[in-house]
Amino acid sequence: MPTMNNSVFSQKIYSFLLGLYRWYLRTPERSLDEAYNAAFKIKELEDKHFNGNKIDPDSTMYSSNVMDYFQSDLKKQLKIARMRLTEFKGSRWFLNEANQQAANEAGVEYPELSLVLEKLKFIDQIISKYTIVEPEVNSLVVVDKPPKIKSDLITNPTPPTPIPKVVNNVPKKPQGKANSTGILPRSILSTITRLQVELDPNSEQDVVQNFRQTQRRTIISIRFILLLIIVPLLTHQLAKALVVGPLVEKFRGSEAVQIFLNAEMEEEALVELERFEERIKFENLISKAPPISAEEIEHHMQEKAGEIAEEFREESANAIKNVFSDIFSVVAFIWLLLVSKPSIAIIKEFFDNIVYGLSDSAKAFIIILFTDVFVGFHSPHGWEVILEGISRHWGLPANRDFIFLFIATFPVILDTIFKYWIFRYLNRISPSAVATYHNMNE
């Protein structure tokens, strides 16, 4: 009877693994179908609501709320199509000839090449329409597009001084009649140009378009920052609860497993047990009760030792879970950076605009605050707390020699990098901020 049960169980496991392997082999076909369906839904929106034309955010056919609805649906389907295309390419790269032969043996048939090419061609036709409209795809257009002179002159009463371009660390002098020495002063020419812009009937459209691009860049940047924070944290918790946790509990379910991961945990447990014994004796003395016997003390000590052992067993298991869950978080963070290169370009432009918009005093204040926290006089205490917290998080012994060596070297290296950056970069683009920094730091 046990042999029959084992045979049935083995057949179930084999069927499950075979089904899982077939599902893996069908990944390219499944990914291509999902990408094709997403592109087909976009085509349906175009045919039904935009007369076969692309979904344009500047379209006057619908109100802004209706266009927001169409845009959100468009972004969703475009994201699905791109992700599934990436999955299609990656899965085809992993499926070599040996896997294709195994797929034929497992009864998995791939679609014909002509059908695959037809679907890919249709998907490319749909996605290529939105390389400019979709900010996540063509974000470099939003980032690298130079601001128009008209909108800049309208928003700023005084025209900004052009910043020289830097090529190979050598500033390149700006060219043009307005930047060269002429018969009339530069301010008079700028005033004439500003009047021409104000009298231009298309100036309002330029300002509105510039504002829309800025608003779109801000929304994408804030959303991407939240994703960089939420996705790793959520991945850590889900991996710890659903994947790493059950595996660790399964392998550490035996009673013979080691309770303490390092000597510091064992020393901490010993100190806690000694304090418990002293507390029992102290409470017995101050309560004026009959002297407690050695057997009762030993009984209480055994109960407390069991509680401490269970507590540190859970702490050790939690530390092991944190190690593997952090690996999942790092992988999710790197994957998010790899698939969001356009968003990285947008967020870089977003922070550049914020930094350049600060006054010299604000820039100097932020630099002093940052350097004092990480490389200042009180920074060693903060680094010590951080390193000890990381060691405890991973269940590692806090090596005092390593911590002191790290504190003696890393802040010094960081301080040198800050000073070099201020001398080489900040001193070139904002000399007044450097002068304010030196005045505030003295």
Side-chain angles (χ1 to χ4, degrees):
M1 190 67 180
T3 305
M4 183 179 296
N5 292 334
N6 293 333
S7 177
V8 172
F9 183 71
S10 301
Q11 291 179 358
K12 290 182 178 179
I13 293 179
Y14 177 76
S15 301
F16 173 75
L17 294 178
L18 182 60
L20 187 64
Y21 185 61
R22 288 177 178 176
W23 178 87
Y24 165 72
L25 293 176
R26 292 184 182 274
T27 301
E29 179 183 358
R30 182 176 61 256
S31 303
L32 182 61
D33 290 339
E34 293 179 2
Y36 179 80
N37 293 333
F40 187 77
K41 290 181 181 179
I42 296 175
K43 182 62 176 175
E44 287 184 343
L45 285 177
E46 294 176 348
D47 296 339
K48 187 175 181 180
H49 301 284
F50 293 89
N51 298 326
N53 299 321
K54 69 177 184 179
I55 303 173
D56 191 356
D58 297 328
S59 175
T60 56
M61 297 175 59
Y62 301 98
S63 63
S64 60
N65 292 329
V66 177
M67 285 304 304
D68 290 340
Y69 172 79
F70 287 134
Q71 282 285 51
S72 62
D73 198 6
L74 172 64
K75 292 178 182 179
K76 178 182 177 181
Q77 300 302 329
L78 285 175
K79 186 175 182 180
I80 293 174
R82 294 190 188 95
M83 291 178 63
R84 294 298 172 252
L85 277 180
T86 305
E87 184 179 352
F88 171 76
K89 296 176 183 177
S91 58
R92 280 187 58 84
W93 185 79
F94 281 107
L95 288 177
N96 49 22
E97 296 180 357
N99 288 331
Q100 292 179 0
Q101 184 178 0
N104 296 329
E105 295 176 357
V108 178
E109 297 181 357
Y110 293 110
E112 296 181 358
L113 180 61
S114 58
L115 181 60
V116 173
L117 295 178
E118 184 179 354
K119 289 183 178 180
L120 289 175
K121 183 178 179 180
F122 177 76
I123 295 171
D124 290 337
Q125 289 177 352
I126 298 299
I127 294 180
S128 61
K129 298 180 182 179
Y130 303 96
T131 54
I132 298 177
V133 176
E134 175 62 21
E136 293 185 3
V137 180
N138 219 359
S139 58
L140 294 178
V141 176
V142 181
V143 175
D144 296 334
K145 185 176 180 180
K148 295 184 178 181
I149 299 177
K150 297 178 181 180
S151 59
D152 288 343
L153 292 176
I154 291 176
T155 54
N156 299 323
T158 304
T161 304
I163 301 176
K165 295 183 179 180
V166 179
V167 180
N168 296 330
N169 297 330
V170 178
K172 182 179 179 181
K173 294 183 179 180
Q175 299 177 358
K177 295 181 180 180
N179 297 323
S180 60
T181 304
I183 301 175
L184 296 177
R186 190 180 304 172
S187 59
I188 296 179
L189 295 176
S190 301
T191 304
I192 295 174
T193 305
R194 181 169 57 86
L195 291 176
Q196 292 177 353
V197 171
E198 291 176 353
L199 295 176
D200 189 358
N202 297 324
S203 299
E204 184 178 357
Q205 297 179 1
D206 296 336
V207 173
V208 172
Q209 185 67 22
N210 191 22
F211 173 76
R212 287 181 177 177
Q213 291 181 359
T214 305
Q215 186 183 39
R216 187 178 304 170
R217 181 172 58 241
T218 304
I219 293 174
I220 294 174
S221 301
I222 295 176
R223 183 181 62 183
F224 185 65
I225 292 173
L226 293 177
L227 285 177
L228 289 178
I229 297 174
I230 294 175
V231 170
L233 293 177
L234 188 61
T235 304
H236 181 276
Q237 296 299 324
L238 291 178
K240 188 175 181 179
L242 302 178
V243 181
V244 180
L247 292 177
V248 172
E249 294 296 337
K250 179 180 179 180
F251 287 103
R252 288 181 59 89
S254 176
E255 294 294 334
V257 73
Q258 186 177 359
I259 299 176
F260 306 104
L261 290 180
N262 52 66
E264 288 189 358
M265 286 187 176
E266 188 174 358
E267 185 69 22
E268 185 178 351
L270 181 60
V271 171
E272 185 176 353
L273 189 62
E274 290 177 352
R275 290 181 178 177
F276 178 76
E277 183 180 5
E278 294 174 356
R279 187 180 299 112
I280 292 177
K281 296 179 180 179
F282 177 73
E283 291 177 356
N284 184 61
L285 291 175
I286 63 175
S287 62
K288 297 180 180 180
I292 188 170
S293 61
E295 290 78 7
E296 293 179 353
I297 295 177
E298 185 68 21
H299 177 70
H300 289 300
M301 292 287 290
Q302 289 179 356
E303 292 181 352
K304 185 63 177 178
E307 295 177 1
I308 293 175
E310 185 64 26
E311 177 183 350
F312 278 90
R313 184 182 290 110
E314 293 180 0
E315 185 175 348
S316 301
N318 189 51
I320 298 175
K321 296 176 185 177
N322 289 334
V323 173
F324 294 99
S325 300
D326 289 342
I327 294 175
F328 279 97
S329 299
V330 172
V331 171
F333 184 80
I334 295 175
W335 174 82
L336 191 61
L337 292 179
L338 292 178
V339 300
S340 304
K341 291 182 179 179
S343 299
I344 295 175
I346 292 180
I347 198 173
K348 180 180 180 298
E349 179 70 13
F350 174 73
F351 281 116
D352 287 343
N353 292 334
I354 291 178
V355 172
Y356 290 142
L358 295 175
S359 63
D360 296 335
S361 301
K363 293 177 184 176
F365 172 78
I366 293 175
I367 294 173
I368 292 175
L369 178 64
F370 193 79
T371 52
D372 285 350
V373 169
F374 291 98
V375 299
F377 178 74
H378 299 287
S379 62
H381 304 288
W383 286 112
E384 186 175 356
V385 172
I386 292 174
L387 293 175
E388 288 181 355
I390 293 175
S391 300
R392 192 172 187 85
H393 178 74
W394 289 338
L396 300 175
N399 192 334
R400 310 301 300 178
D401 295 335
F402 171 77
I403 292 177
F404 292 151
L405 181 62
F406 180 89
I407 293 174
T409 56
F410 184 75
V412 177
I413 298 174
L414 201 60
D415 183 50
T416 305
I417 294 175
F418 273 122
K419 291 179 179 178
Y420 179 79
W421 175 78
I422 293 173
F423 171 76
R424 185 68 181 269
Y425 180 73
L426 188 63
N427 196 29
R428 185 174 69 244
I429 65 173
S430 183
S432 56
V434 176
T436 306
Y437 165 73
H438 286 304
N439 292 331
M440 293 177 63
N441 208 19
E442 290 178 355

